[in-house]
Amino acid sequence: MESLYFWPESPGLSLLALWVLSVLFLWAAREPMLQVMRGLGRSLESGLASVGDWCREAAARQEARSREVLLAAGELELHGRMERELQRIDASFTEKLGNYASLHRRLDDLLLRLDGDYQRCGDAPPEAPGWTGAVEAVSAIPAAADPNVQKVLAGIRDSLDEAAKRALAVHREETAKRHRLLGRMRPEWKEVRGLLARMQDVVSRSLRVTARVDRCVDEFQALVGARAGGAQALSFSPWKPFLVSLLVLAIALGGAFINFQLIALPMSELVPAGARIGGVPVATVAALVIVLMETAVGIFVMDMLEITDLFPKLASLTVGRRRLILGVGLAGLFFLAGVESSLAVLREQIVEADAALKLSLAGAADGVVAAPARSSIPVAGQAVLGFVLPWILAMVAIPLESLLDSSRLLGARLGVVLLHGLGHAAGALAHGARALTVAGPSLYDVYVSLPLRAERMLRGDDPPRRGPATSAERRAETGVA
Amino acid sequence: MRAPAALALLAAWALLAGCSDARRYDQAIGVLIDVSGTYADQREESVRVIKREVIPNMIPGDTLFVARIDSESYDRENVEALLTLDRRPSHANAQKLEIARRLDAFATRPLSAAHTDIPGAIMLASEYLGETAAGSRVLLIFSDMQEDLPRGEVRRLDEQELAGTRVVAMNVKRLGRDQADPGTYRVRMDGWGERLAAAGAAEWRMFQDPGKLPEYLAASR
């Protein structure tokens, strides 16, 4: 600043001279300067207004697209649910209704047998012996006291008694048979009751599944309705899968960290210990790569099992190839799990050896160094952890896919909000530019007011005496149509 | 479509290759132990410090050079131990135990010297450490830093003799005249600082507490 002073020893005088010069210069250049200011203001205003319009249009487009994506995601999710339900129905009906024919046949057989048994159980009381009429005829003889008549009567009585006894025995035998038949019918009745209960179960399950399908169809109808109406009618929200998958991924990250720590030290036995990549020891990088490889193999396995769909191209492979890739993936995971397990055991040995070395160098007694406290529990625990963690890491594909899908939806929403915000900000700036276009020339005139007043006095012009400008005047001044 | 994919793969490969580190992180540690005159009784303590503070913190690929300072130190016979640790930690541990045994033997071996040829030992160490081409070089000197060359011997450190080498004086013993006038001791140490700086040493410092050595070695790696 001081370099601009005409007289550095008199800053006040220098500043005054500078001010006078600037006022004179700006007064002389007033007309072009005002034109430049108005032009700049109008350009700025129209540019910002265009940016605001573009942002609003882009936000509307993005919102529509986001809504479509949201509806498509909801449709896909609902479609998946319906497909699952239909698969269950198919499995259930195939299993239960497939058994229904044999169930029905067994029931028919049982009923036929029961009917036959029932027919055989018919109670036929024994007929009375046919001697009754003969006895009545003999008893009607007048000489009843005749010994011959008495003898005949006695003979008839004996025969009658014997016949009655025989008939009673036959009746008892037949009754016993009926009881046996009835006794045999009891388990068959129980079986019939059980079969009927199973049939009732089958029917009620079918009814429940049908009710679920009904619900799915209702939701589908609501979705179709939502396409016509607002997207808020849709029950699908990306927040839930996003947060849940984020949480699960954070947990998986913790598991990966433990896994990494388990194998980082022993990896130094397998790779050059001194070499580094970007300042990080190669052993550490190698351990990280192994953990990432497990995750990558897990992603392929989950895709091959049709649990996830991260690589759409893999879905179009033939069943044989899919099985081949699945087999290779599982074998790779098994191999990596085995490697990790052995590395975990090696880690324990290295730690023990390091501890023994430090004790030895510190001058501990040889006996202490030779027989450190040993326990197989840490070794076994580390080996099991080393084997199990890769399989758990392999499942990261599921939350990862969920996170990617939901992030896309949430990102679209965030984009809409940002575009709206930018549109509003650009609109506000355009408004500010319009205000400056109006106020700028006035401020300029204030700065050069002294020479301007002098000029007008010399020309004999009346100073502008007017009230607040009308909107038409303002428009004319700023050049806005 | 395939051409951009191939280009992307090539770019990723180039990026990965670029990440591979050309810098060396191995460390060469030279240790000079004075066995002459007034410092002869400090030999066991010096070995103990090396075993406790230096060897355990060495990592595979590091080099340890140990030489004694006596009347004529610029001699290969003065080298007590020289080894580079194996890349495999288990083998490196065995090497550490072996060198610890050799240092124990050195500590108890009867040795004596009438003169103290510190520059000769420094020159010897500089040659050995330079050969390793390690990423960092540190020279530890266990001595009273009182030079006492035999008559007629000349020791002149070149300008680049210790280029890139950090020199640390450990466990410097105060002499009788240092007790009488500590300024003498300080002038002596300052003199060594100037002399070593002239020889290109990256740093010259002293440690009274050997416990700080591991941290220093790790920081200078």
Side-chain angles (χ1 to χ4, degrees):
Chain A
M1 182 67 189
E2 288 177 1
S3 60
L4 295 175
Y5 292 170
F6 295 120
W7 307 282
E9 66 278 4
S10 310
L13 196 61
S14 300
L15 284 173
L16 184 67
L18 280 172
W19 176 74
V20 169
L21 280 176
S22 69
V23 165
L24 288 174
F25 174 76
L26 290 174
W27 167 72
R30 181 173 172 268
E31 283 306 318
M33 283 297 282
L34 287 180
Q35 280 175 8
V36 166
M37 284 173 77
R38 284 176 186 138
L40 275 177
R42 280 196 292 271
S43 303
L44 199 63
E45 183 193 343
S46 62
L48 286 170
S50 302
V51 168
D53 290 343
W54 181 85
C55 283
R56 276 189 286 275
E57 283 170 17
R61 278 199 305 272
Q62 183 67 28
E63 199 165 2
R65 192 163 171 271
S66 165
R67 187 171 165 276
E68 279 299 316
V69 171
L70 189 67
L71 287 169
E75 210 172 272
L76 201 67
E77 196 250 349
L78 198 60
H79 186 262
R81 268 169 53 201
M82 280 181 76
E83 201 171 87
R84 279 198 303 277
E85 289 299 337
L86 288 172
Q87 277 174 356
R88 279 181 201 161
I89 291 167
D90 186 39
S92 171
F93 274 54
T94 306
E95 185 193 346
K96 301 294 178 188
L97 296 183
N99 292 337
Y100 183 77
S102 61
L103 201 69
H104 198 266
R105 197 163 50 246
R106 278 178 61 196
L107 197 61
D108 276 351
D109 290 347
L110 280 170
L111 288 174
L112 278 173
R113 278 164 56 193
L114 281 170
D115 190 46
D117 286 348
Y118 181 73
Q119 294 295 335
R120 276 186 284 164
C121 285
D123 191 5
E127 290 181 7
W131 295 98
T132 317
V135 171
E136 284 174 357
V138 172
S139 62
I141 296 172
D146 189 349
N148 289 326
V149 175
Q150 290 292 327
K151 199 181 280 179
V152 169
L153 284 173
I156 289 170
R157 189 191 63 202
D158 291 344
S159 297
L160 193 61
D161 285 347
E162 195 178 343
K165 280 180 184 170
R166 269 207 308 275
L168 190 63
V170 167
H171 181 66
R172 279 180 177 163
E173 193 180 340
E174 284 184 353
T175 306
K177 271 185 187 172
R178 278 199 300 276
H179 281 178
R180 277 201 298 278
L181 279 171
L182 284 170
R184 242 182 19 225
M185 282 166 73
R186 278 180 62 195
E188 286 174 352
W189 278 117
K190 280 185 183 171
E191 196 174 349
V192 167
R193 199 169 61 186
L195 287 172
L196 286 173
R198 280 173 60 189
M199 283 175 75
Q200 190 186 5
D201 182 43
V202 168
V203 171
S204 61
R205 277 193 197 179
S206 302
L207 286 173
R208 279 203 299 274
V209 171
T210 313
R212 283 209 298 270
V213 174
D214 277 350
R215 276 203 302 275
C216 283
V217 171
D218 287 345
E219 284 182 32
F220 197 77
Q221 281 174 344
L223 188 77
V224 172
R227 275 197 180 281
Q232 294 300 322
L234 188 66
S235 61
F236 178 78
S237 165
W239 277 107
K240 185 179 159 191
F242 178 77
L243 291 176
V244 170
S245 50
L246 202 65
L247 180 70
V248 174
L249 271 182
I251 294 167
L253 199 66
F257 180 71
I258 293 173
N259 202 9
F260 168 74
Q261 290 294 329
L262 211 57
I263 60 173
L265 177 64
M267 277 306 285
S268 56
E269 283 286 332
L270 307 182
V271 295
R276 297 189 181 212
I277 296 174
V280 182
V282 169
T284 308
V285 176
L288 192 65
V289 167
I290 284 190
V291 172
L292 293 177
M293 272 169 64
E294 286 162 2
T295 311
V297 173
I299 288 172
F300 278 108
V301 167
M302 290 296 149
D303 255 30
M304 290 301 106
L305 288 171
E306 295 184 28
I307 296 171
T308 58
D309 190 22
L310 286 167
F311 295 100
K313 196 172 181 181
L314 292 178
S316 60
L317 292 178
T318 58
V319 176
R321 285 188 179 178
R322 290 175 72 87
R323 281 187 185 155
L324 179 69
I325 296 176
L326 178 65
V328 170
L330 287 174
L333 264 182
F334 185 80
F335 171 74
L336 288 171
V339 167
E340 277 210 14
S341 188
S342 51
L343 283 176
V345 174
L346 182 61
R347 178 184 184 278
E348 188 62 23
Q349 290 174 354
I350 291 174
V351 169
E352 278 183 9
D354 277 348
L357 173 75
K358 280 178 182 165
L359 279 172
S360 169
L361 293 177
D366 287 345
V368 176
V369 177
R374 283 183 179 278
S375 167
S376 57
I377 294 173
V379 183
Q382 288 184 12
V384 171
L385 260 182
F387 193 82
V388 170
L389 281 173
W391 298 97
I392 296 173
L393 273 183
M395 289 188 225
V396 160
I398 302 168
L400 184 67
E401 186 186 40
S402 178
L403 185 77
L404 289 177
D405 287 345
S406 50
S407 300
R408 195 163 56 108
L409 295 169
L410 290 176
R413 280 190 184 180
L414 192 67
V416 169
V417 172
L418 277 176
L419 282 171
H420 271 305
L422 277 176
H424 285 301
L429 286 173
H431 185 74
R434 190 162 53 242
L436 276 177
T437 308
V438 175
S442 303
L443 288 172
Y444 191 94
D445 282 352
V446 168
Y447 191 72
V448 296
S449 56
L450 288 179
L452 193 63
R453 177 64 64 91
E455 180 198 355
R456 283 175 179 160
M457 282 174 69
L458 286 173
R459 282 187 180 177
D461 292 347
D462 288 333
R465 292 178 186 280
R466 60 181 183 180
T470 63
S471 58
E473 285 170 344
R474 274 204 301 274
R475 276 204 299 276
E477 191 167 289
T478 54
V480 177
Chain B
M1 186 62 198
R2 286 188 178 181
L7 278 174
L9 274 176
L10 271 175
W13 176 251
L15 192 68
L16 273 177
C19 285
S20 59
D21 207 341
R23 189 188 155 198
R24 296 190 61 158
Y25 289 88
D26 51 348
Q27 191 171 51
I29 302 170
V31 182
L32 304 177
I33 301 173
D34 195 345
V35 298
S36 66
T38 53
Y39 205 80
D41 59 338
Q42 296 292 316
R43 210 185 331 159
E44 281 187 26
E45 173 62 14
S46 303
V47 167
R48 194 185 64 76
V49 169
I50 297 168
K51 281 172 60 183
R52 181 168 285 182
E53 311 295 351
V54 178
I55 295 178
N57 298 300
M58 289 172 70
I59 62 172
D62 283 358
T63 301
L64 180 65
F65 164 83
V66 182
R68 65 176 185 274
I69 300 172
D70 56 12
S71 300
E72 292 183 331
S73 304
Y74 189 64
D75 188 347
R76 285 184 61 179
E77 295 294 320
N78 280 43
V79 178
E80 292 294 334
L82 173 66
L83 95 157
T84 300
L85 293 180
D86 195 273
R87 296 289 177 187
R88 288 163 294 181
S90 53
H91 289 228
N93 279 355
Q95 287 176 303
K96 286 178 182 177
L97 282 173
E98 173 57 27
I99 201 166
R101 279 192 209 100
R102 283 163 66 183
L103 288 175
D104 284 337
F106 164 67
T108 53
R109 199 167 73 219
L111 288 167
S112 64
H115 299 277
T116 311
D117 178 12
I118 298 174
I122 290 175
M123 289 162 76
L124 184 73
S126 138
E127 287 170 11
Y128 274 89
L129 295 184
E131 255 182 22
T132 63
S136 60
R137 294 191 291 273
V138 180
L139 185 59
L140 308 175
I141 304 175
F142 290 84
S143 171
D144 53 17
M145 301 308 289
Q146 180 62 54
E147 185 181 1
D148 177 21
L149 290 176
R151 185 185 298 273
E153 289 195 359
V154 177
R155 299 283 187 260
R156 194 173 295 115
L157 298 176
D158 288 343
E159 275 186 17
Q160 294 300 311
E161 185 84 47
L162 294 169
T165 306
R166 296 163 193 268
V167 185
V168 181
M170 295 290 303
N171 194 26
V172 180
K173 189 176 179 181
R174 274 66 168 172
L175 303 172
R177 53 179 176 276
D178 296 337
Q179 299 296 332
D181 179 9
T184 314
Y185 164 77
R186 290 178 182 171
V187 167
R188 186 166 78 245
M189 299 313 288
D190 289 344
W192 272 109
E194 288 165 12
R195 199 168 164 189
L196 292 170
E203 189 182 16
W204 159 251
R205 65 178 302 166
M206 285 173 288
F207 277 124
Q208 311 299 333
D209 176 13
K212 289 177 181 166
L213 198 52
E215 193 183 340
Y216 175 75
L217 290 174
S220 59
R221 190 175 285 279

